[in-house]
Amino acid sequence: MSVTALVKPPPDTPLFLEGPHWEVSTQSLLYVEMLGNTVHRWHSATNTSEVVKLEIDSRPSLIVPRQSGGYIVTHGTSVSHLDWPSGVLTTLESIEGLESDVKVCFNDGKCDSTGRLWAGTMPADINGIETIPPNKGFLTSVAKGSVKKHAGNITLSNGMAWTADERTFYFVDTIAGEILAFDFDVTSGQISNRRVAIKFPAKDSEDTLGVPDGLTIDSDGNLWVACVLVGKITCFDPRTSKVLRSVQLPVKATTSCCFGGQNMDELFVTSGYRDRFNEELGGENPPGAIYKITGLGVKGIPDHVYQY
């Protein structure tokens, strides 16, 4: 097994990367950079990157391909279409009006096999993770002309994944330290039977798992979870809640991960720079880089695209 810093930030430039998605059709890695409002596309064949600067006043949180062309980007309360060559964003849907007493914004999300976008929310106006009010976020599904609110009482929405048969849906609430499981009906787009599949230890315990952020699932049904604060990718069996293995990375803020490569056996990890970690920018293993883990001996399941 090896860990390589694949795409590095410019010297002395703090970046916070999120939302990796392996685009099978182009064999490229998509991701967003939240601090600078940019989206990125790294081409595996040429080891080159493209960047689009978004003219928005709210941070981007995810990017997925759209079947009809272009990409879907969430930012603030909007779901928008991105025309990559021009950089033009066109708003398609919004969650304005779904909030209760706290203004929210989109965070992490993915598409199911029918092409619906599932995306969680978090409170928008915060000054650091410690100030997030509890249980004000929720989960949404988005299709053409349809924005539905699903599970509530979420503090900080993050990673999600489905089992291969799409009967079980996993969803992270970071602040609660929980990976939730739901029964999933792909035909109706409904979830039910909410339960805790994996509960992270308290942050002040002797365990060093940190808290869960983004995640992905392998072909064996095991979850690979970015453990932010401690710089790990940890593999869990969600049926037993057992830790199967952990991979330590040379940065603290491991934010998310996805499988990719020609054989779907390479794990790509996004990371971010946080002042409180006292990490140095630059060097061989900088925060805010994309890391690639090879030699894990497992394969992932390709992520779906938006079909509306």
Side-chain angles (χ1 to χ4, degrees):
M1 186 198 72
S2 66
V3 177
T4 306
L6 189 67
V7 182
K8 300 179 183 180
D12 302 320
T13 304
L15 300 182
F16 203 88
L17 311 183
E18 267 283 11
H21 178 106
W22 183 257
E23 187 175 23
V24 174
S25 62
T26 62
Q27 290 291 289
S28 60
L29 182 71
L30 305 167
Y31 55 96
V32 303
E33 199 284 295
M34 292 183 166
L35 300 181
N37 292 351
T38 55
V39 293
H40 299 245
R41 185 167 61 185
W42 174 79
H43 298 275
S44 61
T46 58
N47 191 25
T48 57
S49 296
E50 298 176 84
V51 181
V52 173
K53 173 71 173 179
L54 304 177
E55 298 302 322
I56 54 178
D57 57 6
S58 54
R59 63 176 177 80
S61 58
L62 67 88
I63 177 171
V64 297
R66 191 179 189 186
Q67 188 178 50
S68 59
Y71 297 91
I72 294 296
V73 176
T74 58
H75 54 100
T77 58
S78 299
V79 179
S80 297
H81 170 83
L82 171 65
D83 176 68
W84 190 280
S86 67
V88 172
L89 276 176
T90 304
T91 299
L92 304 177
E93 309 292 345
S94 174
I95 54 170
E96 288 283 355
L98 292 183
E99 309 102 321
S100 54
D101 58 333
V102 172
K103 182 176 176 60
V104 300
C105 61
F106 278 118
N107 203 35
D108 212 348
K110 291 180 182 176
C111 293
D112 65 24
S113 64
T114 71
R116 298 183 199 94
L117 176 67
W118 291 77
T121 71
M122 60 176 285
D125 300 320
I126 59 171
N127 294 309
I129 196 169
E130 297 84 1
T131 68
I132 298 177
N135 301 323
K136 300 298 183 180
F138 50 86
L139 174 66
T140 68
S141 65
V142 181
K144 184 177 181 180
S146 172
V147 180
K148 296 179 180 179
K149 185 175 179 179
H150 295 273
N153 294 322
I154 302 294
T155 301
L156 176 53
S157 303
N158 255 307
M160 58 183 67
W162 290 264
T163 54
D165 61 9
E166 285 191 296
R167 292 184 178 180
T168 304
F169 170 68
Y170 298 108
F171 176 60
V172 169
D173 186 348
T174 293
I175 301 300
E178 294 176 347
I179 301 177
L180 304 172
F182 297 86
D183 294 342
F184 186 77
D185 186 325
V186 68
T187 302
S188 66
Q190 298 297 319
I191 59 175
S192 60
N193 190 23
R194 175 175 177 162
R195 58 214 183 259
V196 177
I198 299 166
K199 177 68 175 178
F200 274 52
K203 287 190 290 183
D204 58 355
S205 72
E206 293 183 0
D207 201 297
T208 54
L209 284 179
V211 293
D213 200 325
L215 60 76
T216 190
I217 194 167
D218 66 25
S219 58
D220 295 322
N222 298 319
L223 298 177
W224 294 78
V225 184
C227 299
V228 72
L229 306 182
V230 297
K232 290 182 179 179
I233 300 294
T234 299
C235 179
F236 294 87
D237 182 341
R239 294 146 295 204
T240 65
S241 302
K242 299 295 185 183
V243 173
L244 302 180
R245 62 193 297 191
S246 282
V247 180
Q248 182 68 58
L249 277 78
V251 292
K252 295 293 186 182
T254 44
T255 60
S256 192
C257 57
C258 72
F259 282 100
Q262 290 187 342
N263 298 314
M264 291 299 295
D265 60 354
E266 299 170 344
L267 189 67
F268 295 91
V269 180
T270 50
S271 69
Y273 173 76
R274 291 175 182 262
D275 291 336
R276 62 180 171 175
F277 289 151
N278 296 317
E279 294 178 299
E280 293 184 8
L281 298 172
E284 288 300 310
N285 296 295
I290 295 288
Y291 288 88
K292 182 172 75 170
I293 306 174
T294 57
L296 290 170
V298 297
K299 293 185 177 182
I301 301 171
D303 288 325
H304 300 294
V305 304
Y306 190 71
Q307 295 185 27
Y308 295 90

